[in-house]
Amino acid sequence: MSRHNLHHLPGILPFAHDLLRRALQSGDCALDATAGNGHDTLLLAQCVGAHGHIYAFDVQPRALAATHTRLQQAGLQDRATLIADSHAHLSQHVTVGLKAAVFNLGYLPGSDKTVVTQPASTVSALAQALDLLLPSGVLVVVIYHGHSGGEAEQQAVENWCSALNPQDAVAVRYQLVNQSGPPPYMLAVEKR
Ligand code: SAM
């Protein structure tokens, strides 16, 4: 049987980006909690226009350098503040209301996989990000759980998400179900 490209069900990251695009307007502020190679920071910077601003965190200098280069190539470096600190310290650096936040968990693609996001700091940062979100703001978490430690982090994020009061926020999941192994998936939260 031949395989066909899908036309109606986007992959996890394209779907996550669609949600972020829908949540953001010109002039908004947004968070990339895990800048990595800067793909998500760039998308956010494109969405918020010249009057908006992005706060992007990473603990690895090479990740922030890659993010800076990506923004610079697009001429958008002035739209983002790159923060060399753990997202666990989010509220020390960011005090403005956010319309969107993205967490792309796991390790830096192309790196040695020794620096990965961790359950306690991730959940702490998620809670801080939700506090900073404005009404109708969207928080997107892309979860990779195939690597060492990934399952514990997945469980911590699932526990945090499922305990959210539905009066305060709605949480949804977008996940491939008919694939072997632990494929990445997305949780998204909209603040009421
Ligand atoms: N969003 C990125 C992109 O578009 O290329 C991919 C992110 S990558 C999957 C995960 C990143 O999280 C890595 O670059 C890693 O250094 C970073 N990271 C790990 N622990 C962190 C922490 N406590 N605070 C902030 N970033 C962290």
Side-chain angles (χ1 to χ4, degrees):
M1 193 173 78
S2 66
R3 296 179 69 177
H4 301 278
N5 287 330
L6 292 175
H7 295 293
H8 303 298
L9 296 180
I12 303 299
L13 275 175
F15 188 62
H17 282 189
D18 273 356
L19 290 184
L20 294 167
R21 272 191 209 98
R22 289 162 64 117
L24 287 168
Q25 291 183 341
S26 176
D28 286 339
C29 291
L31 165 73
D32 185 349
T34 54
N37 288 318
H39 299 281
D40 300 325
T41 309
L42 176 61
L43 181 273
L44 297 175
Q46 288 165 338
C47 290
V48 299
H51 300 295
H53 204 72
I54 309 305
Y55 299 88
F57 285 74
D58 208 290
V59 287
Q60 296 195 73
R62 64 181 279 193
L64 292 175
T67 298
H68 178 73
T69 301
R70 192 173 299 281
L71 289 168
Q72 201 170 37
Q73 282 167 352
L76 300 183
Q77 68 276 11
D78 294 343
R79 292 188 192 177
T81 300
L82 305 187
I83 300 160
D85 196 359
S86 169
H87 44 222
H89 304 140
L90 171 59
S91 53
Q92 293 174 21
H93 298 277
V94 182
T95 52
V96 297
L98 303 172
K99 285 310 294 263
V102 57
F103 287 67
N104 201 323
L105 303 179
Y107 55 85
L108 181 66
S111 77
D112 59 9
K113 307 184 185 175
T114 53
V115 183
V116 291
T117 51
Q118 300 290 331
S121 44
T122 296
V123 167
S124 168
L126 285 169
Q128 293 172 59
L130 187 59
D131 276 348
L132 288 168
L133 270 194
L134 296 166
S136 82
V138 165
L139 187 162
V140 166
V141 192
V142 179
I143 302 175
Y144 304 85
H145 48 113
H147 58 278
S148 163
E151 251 181 76
E153 182 176 49
Q154 175 204 7
Q155 201 51 59
V157 174
E158 289 278 347
N159 291 346
W160 175 80
C161 221
S162 54
L164 293 174
N165 186 334
Q167 309 280 350
D168 300 332
V170 170
V172 299
R173 188 197 317 277
Y174 186 66
Q175 180 172 26
L176 279 164
V177 294
N178 62 337
Q179 191 171 312
S180 60
Y185 69 99
M186 188 204 75
L187 293 172
V189 176
E190 179 171 339
K191 191 161 176 176
R192 289 193 192 272

